[in-house]
Amino acid sequence: MTARGLDIDGTIAREGSLGQVPAAFVDVVAAARARIVDSFGDGRLHSAYLYGSIPRGTARPGISDLDLLLALHAEPTDADRRHAERIEQALDESFAQIDGAGILLFSTRTLLSELERHDLGFFVACLCTPLLGDDLADQLPRYRPTPLLARETNGDLSLALAPWRRQAAEAETDDQRKVLSRLVARRVVRTGFTLVMPRWGGWTSDLTESAAAFGSYYPERAGQMRRAAFVGRAPSPDPAVLHELIDDLGPWLATEYAAVHGEKTDRPGHHAAPAPGSTTAES
């Protein structure tokens, strides 16, 4: 792999592996695997994946969360979501090493669809680590840091701004504002990175490196993006932080993104992937 996250042929290298899971999280991953088999091992599950800081080897005990994606043979049902929520709760209660667990549910049809080829498909092929079952990456292409990939992963930031403003206005506690600031900051940094990704010529999920790459092309906004990367790692309860992200940097970034790469193809119901990307989630 090259210094900018590419394989020798110029395609984006897959992040993470089970061999990179830090020792403090090995038991968490084993428990997650067992609980997934218990709840979904009746033929509904096609495959399961880890993503985020744990398979990348950068997780910090007590701070990082556990991120999982389950690919189901059929479209997820309400019963499937309840099973996933029970797994999330059980893992969070059982292991102090993680600050919560999150499970995404998608059908294989959705993950392999043409519509999702450069969003969820990219997410599975490059940002997810196989945990159970047959790897869907074998049915997906190799990806390059192209404008098409930029558009389809993060070309919808504008849709998030109004909901974020509403959540910020409704937040009543420091904890609520900290949770929101973390989510918004990470999404903004991921979007800022993919804005410049084709010119930068590589891939990273690291918030600091993402902000630095962005800043090399937009020096007038570099300081704001560095602050966003910091908040993504150390969430803030300060309303002024949310204001800067949601009412200043965010709207500018959404407008610039649309001008440079265009807007993401409409999705029925507009799925909420981590998008990200938006699927370049760092936990």
Side-chain angles (χ1 to χ4, degrees):
M1 185 171 71
T2 71
R4 292 198 170 182
L6 303 179
D7 280 330
I8 294 175
D9 63 358
T11 59
I12 296 171
R14 193 174 210 170
E15 293 184 338
S17 70
L18 294 181
Q20 291 177 248
V21 173
F25 296 92
V26 169
D27 289 347
V28 184
V29 172
R33 182 190 287 110
R35 290 185 179 275
I36 291 168
V37 170
D38 286 344
S39 296
F40 291 91
D42 57 359
R44 286 175 294 159
L45 181 72
H46 174 277
S47 48
Y49 305 82
L50 293 170
Y51 68 93
S53 59
I54 289 179
R56 291 202 306 270
T58 59
R60 295 175 291 171
I63 296 175
S64 298
D65 49 9
L66 175 69
D67 297 310
L68 297 153
L69 180 145
L70 305 188
L72 305 181
H73 287 291
E75 295 301 324
T77 64
D78 288 342
D80 292 328
R81 296 183 183 92
R82 287 192 295 271
H83 281 300
E85 288 169 0
R86 284 194 287 269
I87 295 172
E88 292 170 345
Q89 182 177 357
L91 292 171
D92 190 29
E93 292 175 349
S94 299
F95 295 97
Q97 300 96 308
I98 58 172
D99 183 20
I103 298 176
L104 299 174
L105 298 175
F106 290 102
S107 69
T108 57
R109 183 182 66 84
T110 295
L111 295 171
L112 296 175
S113 68
E114 187 62 32
L115 180 63
E116 294 295 346
R117 183 60 49 88
H118 288 85
D119 189 12
L120 288 175
F122 163 72
F123 178 56
V124 170
C126 294
L127 308 185
C128 287
T129 295
L131 182 65
L132 287 164
D134 295 331
D135 187 3
L136 287 174
D138 294 339
Q139 302 179 55
L140 291 162
R142 300 300 303 273
Y143 294 87
R144 297 177 184 274
T146 64
L148 172 61
L149 185 64
R151 186 189 76 207
E152 292 303 306
T153 52
N154 287 293
D156 58 351
L157 180 64
S158 61
L159 299 180
L161 295 174
W164 286 344
R165 290 190 187 103
R166 183 170 59 252
Q167 292 174 56
E170 294 173 352
E172 297 178 346
T173 68
D174 283 352
D175 283 346
Q176 289 173 330
R177 283 184 284 270
K178 287 175 70 174
V179 168
L180 183 60
S181 72
R182 180 180 187 266
L183 182 154
V184 173
R186 291 182 177 210
R187 177 72 181 275
V188 166
V189 174
R190 292 194 296 266
T191 303
F193 169 70
T194 51
L195 171 63
V196 304
M197 171 189 67
R199 285 185 284 173
W200 191 71
W203 180 267
T204 181
S205 288
D206 181 82
L207 294 177
T208 300
E209 188 175 21
S210 295
F214 168 87
S216 65
Y217 296 95
Y218 291 93
E220 71 280 8
R221 293 275 181 171
Q224 285 185 303
M225 196 61 76
R226 284 195 300 270
R227 290 194 292 275
F230 179 81
V231 172
R233 295 186 302 274
S236 171
D238 187 351
V241 170
L242 284 171
H243 173 71
E244 180 180 34
L245 290 169
I246 297 172
D247 298 314
D248 184 4
L249 182 56
W252 172 84
L253 184 57
T255 299
E256 181 70 5
Y257 211 99
V260 174
H261 296 304
E263 296 184 354
K264 184 174 184 173
T265 305
D266 287 340
R267 266 69 169 168
H270 187 67
H271 70 71
S278 59
T279 51
T280 61
E282 162 139 341
S283 59

